[in-house]
Amino acid sequence: MRRYVVKRLISLLGTLLGVSVLIFLMVHLIPGDPATQILGQFATPEAISQMRTALGLDQPLWQQYVGFLGRLLTGDLGTSLFTGESVWEQIVTRFPITLQLAIFSVLIAAIFGILLGTIAAVKQNTLVDRFVVLLSLVGISAPGFWIALFLIWIFAYKLALFPISGYEGVHSLLLPAITLGMAEAGMIARMTRASMLEVIKQDYLRTAEAKGASLVSLIFSHGLPNAIIPVVTMIGLQFGSLMAGAVVVETVFSLQGIGSLAIEAISKRDMPTVQGMVFFMALIFALTNLIVDLIYSRIDPRIHFD
């Protein structure tokens, strides 16, 4: 196990190096000049030239990348061109909201997705199965912003059970978490159903049933642990993508998380903030995948890492 972790960490470093190159190049392809954005459209050419020199934008791209990579190696994600704050400080301030939102969304999606998928597999080709499949399809297909507005109208405006927007405590994240979790729950339900249908056909389940095992024991003690591996993979990927992709939901609910920070940075062409945020989220995503791989051996002892 230790050898496997070391190999994955080395691979992770190579992945992050490649990500840093892509981030740097993509940010520099965004139209517009940061110096002009900072000084305004009425700035003189001399002032813009001086600002470009101060920001290091007059250097060749490779020199700018070497400086960017050097700062990353020391844990420096840069400084915002507009606020003057450290990018790391901005991320630390906003990341807890996005992290809580992602955790709640994954919990909602995993609980309902695995439960509904298991029920659908056990009740294959019945009305219950068809209802679950239809429900999962609706969850996957419905636009996130539409679900968000619908939940706000019912539970925040009509019933006044939750704040309409903003962060006023953990309860403020329930509606956004449901919005994000619905699509993920639909995908988890479909994956769980397909995986369980394969496991149900196995001989060891028939043997356990012949020995008098109850239906609950058959499903949750013998079937689900062997069907859950691909579902865990999906949940791990969803957790990483939820933290990086909650832009729409955070905007609709006016949550000051990573998503809203990304919108602000991109609209202002704040290159250091965009670069630092994307690199940070890539690191979180890669670490999530590593943790998911390590969880495999806990779920299924038959899995060994070489």
Side-chain angles (χ1 to χ4, degrees), residues 135-152:
L135 192 63
S136 65
L137 182 61
V138 171
I140 295 171
S141 305
F145 71 89
W146 183 88
I147 297 174
L149 293 175
F150 177 76
L151 293 176
I152 290 174

Side-chain angles (χ1 to χ4, degrees), residues 58-245:
D58 59 337
Q59 299 176 354
L61 275 181
W62 70 268
Q63 289 186 6
Q64 295 183 48
Y65 173 72
V66 170
F68 170 64
L69 183 60
R71 290 190 295 272
L72 285 181
L73 293 176
T74 60
D76 181 8
L77 297 180
T79 303
S80 171
L81 299 179
F82 291 88
T83 65
E85 293 181 79
S86 165
V87 175
W88 178 250
E89 291 178 357
Q90 294 183 80
I91 291 175
V92 169
T93 301
R94 303 242 193 156
F95 182 64
I97 293 179
T98 301
L99 179 60
Q100 292 178 66
L101 178 59
I103 291 174
F104 292 154
S105 301
V106 166
L107 286 176
I108 291 172
I111 292 172
F112 286 97
I114 292 175
L115 181 61
L116 291 175
T118 303
I119 293 173
V122 174
K123 300 292 185 180
Q124 184 184 11
N125 297 327
T126 65
L127 288 177
V128 174
D129 182 23
R130 295 190 181 96
F131 176 75
V132 171
V133 171
L134 177 62
L135 192 63
S136 65
L137 182 61
V138 171
I140 295 171
S141 305
F145 71 89
W146 183 88
I147 297 174
L149 293 175
F150 177 76
L151 293 176
I152 290 174
W153 182 63
I154 294 295
F155 295 101
Y157 179 69
K158 290 293 185 180
L159 300 179
L161 297 176
F162 301 95
I164 292 179
S165 62
Y167 181 80
E168 300 179 9
V170 176
H171 70 287
S172 305
L173 299 177
L174 184 57
L175 295 185
I178 293 174
T179 302
L180 282 175
M182 281 189 65
E184 313 302 336
M187 289 187 285
I188 291 174
R190 294 171 73 92
M191 175 67 76
T192 304
R193 177 184 181 275
S195 187
M196 279 295 296
L197 288 177
E198 290 295 324
V199 170
I200 287 174
K201 301 174 184 177
Q202 301 301 315
D203 292 337
Y204 63 85
L205 278 185
R206 297 193 187 98
T207 302
E209 184 179 11
K211 290 182 176 180
S214 65
L215 179 61
V216 173
S217 177
L218 283 174
I219 299 303
F220 292 100
S221 297
H222 300 280
L224 192 57
N226 293 287
I228 205 71
I229 295 297
V231 180
V232 171
T233 302
M234 175 176 286
I235 292 173
L237 294 175
Q238 286 177 341
F239 181 73
S241 63
L242 282 173
M243 286 197 296

Side-chain angles (χ1 to χ4, degrees), residues 26-48:
M26 291 178 66
V27 168
H28 279 75
L29 290 174
I30 298 175
D33 183 10
T36 304
Q37 291 280 347
I38 295 173
L39 297 176
Q41 59 179 336
F42 299 108
T44 63
E46 293 78 10
I48 293 176

